[in-house]
mmCIF file of all heavy atoms in Angstrom:
data_model
loop_
_atom_site.group_PDB
_atom_site.id
_atom_site.type_symbol
_atom_site.label_atom_id
_atom_site.label_comp_id
_atom_site.label_asym_id
_atom_site.label_seq_id
_atom_site.Cartn_x
_atom_site.Cartn_y
_atom_site.Cartn_z
ATOM 1 N N ILE A 1485 25.396 -121.032 60.702
ATOM 2 C CA ILE A 1485 26.819 -120.665 60.537
ATOM 3 C C ILE A 1485 27.576 -122.043 60.273
ATOM 4 O O ILE A 1485 27.578 -122.933 61.176
ATOM 5 C CB ILE A 1485 27.363 -120.007 61.825
ATOM 6 C CG1 ILE A 1485 26.610 -118.701 62.058
ATOM 7 C CG2 ILE A 1485 28.884 -119.734 61.730
ATOM 8 C CD1 ILE A 1485 27.074 -117.946 63.293
ATOM 9 N N ASP A 1486 28.248 -122.016 59.184
ATOM 10 C CA ASP A 1486 28.932 -123.319 58.666
ATOM 11 C C ASP A 1486 30.347 -123.050 59.169
ATOM 12 O O ASP A 1486 31.145 -122.253 58.541
ATOM 13 C CB ASP A 1486 28.832 -123.418 57.237
ATOM 14 C CG ASP A 1486 29.493 -124.721 56.765
ATOM 15 O OD1 ASP A 1486 30.611 -125.016 57.312
ATOM 16 O OD2 ASP A 1486 28.984 -125.221 55.668
ATOM 17 N N LYS A 1487 30.794 -123.727 60.229
ATOM 18 C CA LYS A 1487 32.067 -123.565 60.701
ATOM 19 C C LYS A 1487 33.292 -123.954 59.768
ATOM 20 O O LYS A 1487 34.295 -123.304 59.713
ATOM 21 C CB LYS A 1487 32.285 -124.440 62.052
ATOM 22 C CG LYS A 1487 31.409 -124.017 63.166
ATOM 23 C CD LYS A 1487 31.696 -124.839 64.338
ATOM 24 C CE LYS A 1487 30.922 -124.267 65.505
ATOM 25 N NZ LYS A 1487 31.069 -125.117 66.851
ATOM 26 N N THR A 1488 32.993 -124.917 58.969
ATOM 27 C CA THR A 1488 33.976 -125.290 57.916
ATOM 28 C C THR A 1488 34.301 -124.108 56.920
ATOM 29 O O THR A 1488 35.398 -123.833 56.621
ATOM 30 C CB THR A 1488 33.571 -126.552 57.179
ATOM 31 O OG1 THR A 1488 33.410 -127.628 58.181
ATOM 32 C CG2 THR A 1488 34.680 -127.013 56.157
ATOM 33 N N ARG A 1489 33.188 -123.577 56.467
ATOM 34 C CA ARG A 1489 33.272 -122.464 55.530
ATOM 35 C C ARG A 1489 33.951 -121.199 56.294
ATOM 36 O O ARG A 1489 34.800 -120.546 55.750
ATOM 37 C CB ARG A 1489 31.949 -122.149 54.904
ATOM 38 C CG ARG A 1489 31.369 -123.236 54.110
ATOM 39 C CD ARG A 1489 30.006 -122.691 53.564
ATOM 40 N NE ARG A 1489 30.186 -121.550 52.513
ATOM 41 C CZ ARG A 1489 29.308 -120.627 52.239
ATOM 42 N NH1 ARG A 1489 28.073 -120.654 52.814
ATOM 43 N NH2 ARG A 1489 29.567 -119.792 51.337
ATOM 44 N N PHE A 1490 33.532 -121.012 57.495
ATOM 45 C CA PHE A 1490 34.125 -119.894 58.276
ATOM 46 C C PHE A 1490 35.622 -120.057 58.443
ATOM 47 O O PHE A 1490 36.340 -119.117 58.183
ATOM 48 C CB PHE A 1490 33.463 -119.852 59.562
ATOM 49 C CG PHE A 1490 33.923 -118.695 60.416
ATOM 50 C CD1 PHE A 1490 33.278 -117.397 60.251
ATOM 51 C CD2 PHE A 1490 34.898 -118.864 61.430
ATOM 52 C CE1 PHE A 1490 33.660 -116.397 61.145
ATOM 53 C CE2 PHE A 1490 35.327 -117.741 62.157
ATOM 54 C CZ PHE A 1490 34.711 -116.493 62.019
ATOM 55 N N LEU A 1491 36.006 -121.289 58.738
ATOM 56 C CA LEU A 1491 37.458 -121.481 58.955
ATOM 57 C C LEU A 1491 38.346 -121.388 57.725
ATOM 58 O O LEU A 1491 39.508 -121.125 57.654
ATOM 59 C CB LEU A 1491 37.703 -122.857 59.569
ATOM 60 C CG LEU A 1491 37.157 -123.032 60.995
ATOM 61 C CD1 LEU A 1491 37.297 -124.508 61.493
ATOM 62 C CD2 LEU A 1491 38.001 -122.080 61.983
ATOM 63 N N SER A 1492 37.641 -121.562 56.528
ATOM 64 C CA SER A 1492 38.271 -121.472 55.228
ATOM 65 C C SER A 1492 38.351 -120.029 54.781
ATOM 66 O O SER A 1492 38.722 -119.685 53.620
ATOM 67 C CB SER A 1492 37.546 -122.326 54.155
ATOM 68 O OG SER A 1492 36.276 -121.919 53.872
ATOM 69 N N GLY A 1493 37.696 -119.098 55.524
ATOM 70 C CA GLY A 1493 37.791 -117.654 55.135
ATOM 71 C C GLY A 1493 36.496 -117.062 54.577
ATOM 72 O O GLY A 1493 36.481 -115.901 54.060
ATOM 73 N N VAL A 1494 35.311 -117.694 54.800
ATOM 74 C CA VAL A 1494 34.047 -117.197 54.370
ATOM 75 C C VAL A 1494 33.409 -116.450 55.489
ATOM 76 O O VAL A 1494 32.904 -117.131 56.484
ATOM 77 C CB VAL A 1494 33.134 -118.338 53.811
ATOM 78 C CG1 VAL A 1494 31.838 -117.772 53.321
ATOM 79 C CG2 VAL A 1494 33.794 -119.155 52.739
ATOM 80 N N PRO A 1495 33.284 -115.083 55.408
ATOM 81 C CA PRO A 1495 32.716 -114.409 56.590
ATOM 82 C C PRO A 1495 31.213 -114.676 56.602
ATOM 83 O O PRO A 1495 30.621 -115.180 55.723
ATOM 84 C CB PRO A 1495 32.880 -112.973 56.137
ATOM 85 C CG PRO A 1495 33.073 -112.977 54.636
ATOM 86 C CD PRO A 1495 33.609 -114.264 54.284
ATOM 87 N N LEU A 1496 30.603 -114.300 57.826
ATOM 88 C CA LEU A 1496 29.247 -114.569 58.050
ATOM 89 C C LEU A 1496 28.255 -113.983 57.041
ATOM 90 O O LEU A 1496 27.224 -114.596 56.683
ATOM 91 C CB LEU A 1496 28.865 -114.151 59.484
ATOM 92 C CG LEU A 1496 29.593 -114.721 60.657
ATOM 93 C CD1 LEU A 1496 29.093 -114.285 61.992
ATOM 94 C CD2 LEU A 1496 29.647 -116.231 60.548
ATOM 95 N N ILE A 1497 28.628 -112.898 56.585
ATOM 96 C CA ILE A 1497 27.712 -112.177 55.662
ATOM 97 C C ILE A 1497 27.565 -112.876 54.320
ATOM 98 O O ILE A 1497 26.600 -112.668 53.537
ATOM 99 C CB ILE A 1497 28.227 -110.669 55.350
ATOM 100 C CG1 ILE A 1497 27.011 -109.826 54.898
ATOM 101 C CG2 ILE A 1497 29.410 -110.710 54.409
ATOM 102 C CD1 ILE A 1497 27.388 -108.371 54.899
ATOM 103 N N ARG A 1498 28.480 -113.766 53.995
ATOM 104 C CA ARG A 1498 28.363 -114.605 52.821
ATOM 105 C C ARG A 1498 27.734 -115.870 53.080
ATOM 106 O O ARG A 1498 27.548 -116.796 52.249
ATOM 107 C CB ARG A 1498 29.878 -114.864 52.285
ATOM 108 C CG ARG A 1498 30.691 -113.791 51.912
ATOM 109 C CD ARG A 1498 29.970 -113.019 50.700
ATOM 110 N NE ARG A 1498 30.847 -111.812 50.352
ATOM 111 C CZ ARG A 1498 30.375 -110.908 49.478
ATOM 112 N NH1 ARG A 1498 29.269 -111.025 48.879
ATOM 113 N NH2 ARG A 1498 31.287 -109.905 49.147
ATOM 114 N N GLN A 1499 27.308 -116.137 54.355
ATOM 115 C CA GLN A 1499 26.586 -117.352 54.726
ATOM 116 C C GLN A 1499 25.178 -117.067 55.164
ATOM 117 O O GLN A 1499 24.299 -118.011 54.967
ATOM 118 C CB GLN A 1499 27.291 -117.942 55.962
ATOM 119 C CG GLN A 1499 28.695 -118.374 55.719
ATOM 120 C CD GLN A 1499 29.279 -119.178 56.854
ATOM 121 O OE1 GLN A 1499 28.570 -119.933 57.453
ATOM 122 N NE2 GLN A 1499 30.627 -118.978 57.121
ATOM 123 N N GLN A 1500 24.764 -115.857 55.461
ATOM 124 C CA GLN A 1500 23.409 -115.599 55.761
ATOM 125 C C GLN A 1500 23.223 -114.044 55.611
ATOM 126 O O GLN A 1500 24.202 -113.295 55.689
ATOM 127 C CB GLN A 1500 22.898 -116.105 57.120
ATOM 128 C CG GLN A 1500 23.731 -115.518 58.305
ATOM 129 C CD GLN A 1500 23.111 -116.063 59.551
ATOM 130 O OE1 GLN A 1500 22.087 -115.650 59.983
ATOM 131 N NE2 GLN A 1500 23.850 -116.912 60.215
ATOM 132 N N ASP A 1501 21.930 -113.643 55.414
ATOM 133 C CA ASP A 1501 21.739 -112.227 55.345
ATOM 134 C C ASP A 1501 21.626 -111.487 56.618
ATOM 135 O O ASP A 1501 20.850 -111.758 57.470
ATOM 136 C CB ASP A 1501 20.182 -111.992 54.679
ATOM 137 C CG ASP A 1501 20.037 -110.674 54.098
ATOM 138 O OD1 ASP A 1501 20.843 -109.754 54.409
ATOM 139 O OD2 ASP A 1501 19.059 -110.488 53.438
ATOM 140 N N LEU A 1502 22.688 -110.678 56.830
ATOM 141 C CA LEU A 1502 22.828 -109.781 58.019
ATOM 142 C C LEU A 1502 22.072 -108.590 58.062
ATOM 143 O O LEU A 1502 21.961 -107.808 59.001
ATOM 144 C CB LEU A 1502 24.277 -109.530 58.383
ATOM 145 C CG LEU A 1502 25.145 -110.888 58.598
ATOM 146 C CD1 LEU A 1502 26.570 -110.481 58.935
ATOM 147 C CD2 LEU A 1502 24.644 -111.785 59.665
ATOM 148 N N LEU A 1503 21.391 -108.208 56.920
ATOM 149 C CA LEU A 1503 20.550 -107.132 56.760
ATOM 150 C C LEU A 1503 19.266 -107.548 56.343
ATOM 151 O O LEU A 1503 19.154 -108.207 55.240
ATOM 152 C CB LEU A 1503 21.113 -105.977 55.806
ATOM 153 C CG LEU A 1503 22.470 -105.431 56.321
ATOM 154 C CD1 LEU A 1503 22.934 -104.446 55.259
ATOM 155 C CD2 LEU A 1503 22.296 -104.574 57.611
ATOM 156 N N SER A 1504 18.154 -107.290 57.084
ATOM 157 C CA SER A 1504 16.798 -107.883 56.758
ATOM 158 C C SER A 1504 15.944 -106.704 56.260
ATOM 159 O O SER A 1504 15.966 -105.672 56.686
ATOM 160 C CB SER A 1504 16.281 -108.575 58.023
ATOM 161 O OG SER A 1504 14.884 -108.854 57.773
ATOM 162 N N PRO A 1505 14.948 -107.110 55.358
ATOM 163 C CA PRO A 1505 13.975 -106.098 54.953
ATOM 164 C C PRO A 1505 13.093 -105.718 56.126
ATOM 165 O O PRO A 1505 12.294 -104.743 56.127
ATOM 166 C CB PRO A 1505 13.214 -106.796 53.864
ATOM 167 C CG PRO A 1505 13.554 -108.194 53.971
ATOM 168 C CD PRO A 1505 14.817 -108.349 54.621
ATOM 169 N N ASP A 1506 13.055 -106.585 57.142
ATOM 170 C CA ASP A 1506 12.247 -106.353 58.410
ATOM 171 C C ASP A 1506 12.915 -105.446 59.329
ATOM 172 O O ASP A 1506 12.247 -105.061 60.259
ATOM 173 C CB ASP A 1506 11.895 -107.656 59.019
ATOM 174 C CG ASP A 1506 11.010 -108.634 58.191
ATOM 175 O OD1 ASP A 1506 10.287 -108.091 57.303
ATOM 176 O OD2 ASP A 1506 11.170 -109.894 58.177
ATOM 177 N N ASP A 1507 14.183 -105.106 59.106
ATOM 178 C CA ASP A 1507 14.826 -104.202 60.040
ATOM 179 C C ASP A 1507 14.159 -102.847 60.041
ATOM 180 O O ASP A 1507 13.670 -102.447 58.949
ATOM 181 C CB ASP A 1507 16.295 -104.098 59.654
ATOM 182 C CG ASP A 1507 17.053 -105.326 59.979
ATOM 183 O OD1 ASP A 1507 16.591 -106.240 60.723
ATOM 184 O OD2 ASP A 1507 18.198 -105.560 59.423
ATOM 185 N N PRO A 1508 14.143 -102.113 61.174
ATOM 186 C CA PRO A 1508 13.513 -100.866 61.093
ATOM 187 C C PRO A 1508 14.252 -99.638 60.416
ATOM 188 O O PRO A 1508 14.746 -98.764 61.084
ATOM 189 C CB PRO A 1508 13.282 -100.472 62.673
ATOM 190 C CG PRO A 1508 14.495 -101.168 63.224
ATOM 191 C CD PRO A 1508 14.702 -102.461 62.434
ATOM 192 N N TRP A 1509 14.437 -99.858 59.143
ATOM 193 C CA TRP A 1509 15.256 -98.970 58.357
ATOM 194 C C TRP A 1509 14.792 -97.409 58.451
ATOM 195 O O TRP A 1509 15.563 -96.538 58.862
ATOM 196 C CB TRP A 1509 15.312 -99.388 56.928
ATOM 197 C CG TRP A 1509 16.013 -100.563 56.566
ATOM 198 C CD1 TRP A 1509 15.507 -101.834 56.687
ATOM 199 C CD2 TRP A 1509 17.437 -100.690 56.328
ATOM 200 N NE1 TRP A 1509 16.491 -102.718 56.401
ATOM 201 C CE2 TRP A 1509 17.665 -102.095 56.118
ATOM 202 C CE3 TRP A 1509 18.426 -99.777 56.184
ATOM 203 C CZ2 TRP A 1509 18.904 -102.552 55.778
ATOM 204 C CZ3 TRP A 1509 19.789 -100.341 55.796
ATOM 205 C CH2 TRP A 1509 19.982 -101.646 55.719
ATOM 206 N N GLU A 1510 13.539 -97.176 58.108
ATOM 207 C CA GLU A 1510 13.106 -95.758 58.085
ATOM 208 C C GLU A 1510 12.902 -95.211 59.563
ATOM 209 O O GLU A 1510 13.273 -93.985 59.776
ATOM 210 C CB GLU A 1510 11.680 -95.791 57.378
ATOM 211 C CG GLU A 1510 11.821 -96.175 55.830
ATOM 212 C CD GLU A 1510 10.422 -96.273 55.332
ATOM 213 O OE1 GLU A 1510 9.713 -95.372 55.324
ATOM 214 O OE2 GLU A 1510 10.189 -97.378 54.685
ATOM 215 N N GLU A 1511 12.510 -95.986 60.437
ATOM 216 C CA GLU A 1511 12.406 -95.534 61.807
ATOM 217 C C GLU A 1511 13.839 -95.090 62.440
ATOM 218 O O GLU A 1511 13.928 -94.149 62.991
ATOM 219 C CB GLU A 1511 11.777 -96.550 62.729
ATOM 220 C CG GLU A 1511 11.683 -96.261 64.256
ATOM 221 C CD GLU A 1511 11.306 -97.393 65.005
ATOM 222 O OE1 GLU A 1511 10.664 -98.377 64.498
ATOM 223 O OE2 GLU A 1511 11.491 -97.362 66.270
ATOM 224 N N THR A 1512 14.782 -95.980 62.132
ATOM 225 C CA THR A 1512 16.208 -95.768 62.656
ATOM 226 C C THR A 1512 16.717 -94.568 61.824
ATOM 227 O O THR A 1512 17.388 -93.665 62.472
ATOM 228 C CB THR A 1512 17.063 -97.022 62.417
ATOM 229 O OG1 THR A 1512 16.325 -98.152 63.103
ATOM 230 C CG2 THR A 1512 18.369 -96.764 63.141
ATOM 231 N N ALA A 1513 16.485 -94.477 60.586
ATOM 232 C CA ALA A 1513 16.989 -93.313 59.742
ATOM 233 C C ALA A 1513 16.508 -91.936 60.290
ATOM 234 O O ALA A 1513 17.091 -91.028 60.489
ATOM 235 C CB ALA A 1513 16.583 -93.436 58.386
ATOM 236 N N GLY A 1514 15.057 -92.068 60.797
ATOM 237 C CA GLY A 1514 14.474 -90.845 61.329
ATOM 238 C C GLY A 1514 15.115 -90.336 62.657
ATOM 239 O O GLY A 1514 15.032 -89.109 62.900
ATOM 240 N N ARG A 1515 15.725 -91.189 63.367
ATOM 241 C CA ARG A 1515 16.438 -90.845 64.590
ATOM 242 C C ARG A 1515 17.898 -90.380 64.229
ATOM 243 O O ARG A 1515 18.448 -89.572 64.935
ATOM 244 C CB ARG A 1515 16.428 -92.003 65.616
ATOM 245 C CG ARG A 1515 15.137 -92.166 66.292
ATOM 246 C CD ARG A 1515 15.223 -93.237 67.331
ATOM 247 N NE ARG A 1515 16.190 -92.892 68.420
ATOM 248 C CZ ARG A 1515 16.448 -93.697 69.325
ATOM 249 N NH1 ARG A 1515 15.654 -94.756 69.609
ATOM 250 N NH2 ARG A 1515 17.350 -93.372 70.294
ATOM 251 N N LEU A 1516 18.458 -90.911 63.186
ATOM 252 C CA LEU A 1516 19.883 -90.543 62.812
ATOM 253 C C LEU A 1516 19.855 -89.225 62.105
ATOM 254 O O LEU A 1516 20.901 -88.438 62.279
ATOM 255 C CB LEU A 1516 20.512 -91.619 61.857
ATOM 256 C CG LEU A 1516 21.161 -92.882 62.601
ATOM 257 C CD1 LEU A 1516 21.644 -93.761 61.462
ATOM 258 C CD2 LEU A 1516 22.199 -92.514 63.419
ATOM 259 N N ILE A 1517 18.890 -88.821 61.384
ATOM 260 C CA ILE A 1517 19.017 -87.683 60.439
ATOM 261 C C ILE A 1517 19.192 -86.473 61.353
ATOM 262 O O ILE A 1517 19.988 -85.526 60.915
ATOM 263 C CB ILE A 1517 17.658 -87.673 59.646
ATOM 264 C CG1 ILE A 1517 17.901 -88.593 58.406
ATOM 265 C CG2 ILE A 1517 17.486 -86.201 58.933
ATOM 266 C CD1 ILE A 1517 16.560 -88.719 57.524
#
């Protein structure tokens, strides 16, 4: 997290990937459906 960029209005999602391909997408979808 770059504090200088953050203070200038750059949100975290523009600084790093907050959604990973390793996240349990299908398993979690199976519980939501």
Side-chain angles (χ1 to χ4, degrees):
I1485 299 175
D1486 186 324
K1487 292 183 179 179
T1488 301
R1489 295 183 69 204
F1490 183 85
L1491 293 174
S1492 68
V1494 180
L1496 299 187
I1497 200 166
R1498 300 297 182 187
Q1499 300 192 32
Q1500 60 179 288
D1501 194 352
L1502 297 181
L1503 296 176
S1504 168
D1506 297 328
D1507 291 341
W1509 290 89
E1510 293 170 57
E1511 175 188 341
T1512 308
R1515 286 185 54 179
L1516 276 178
I1517 285 174

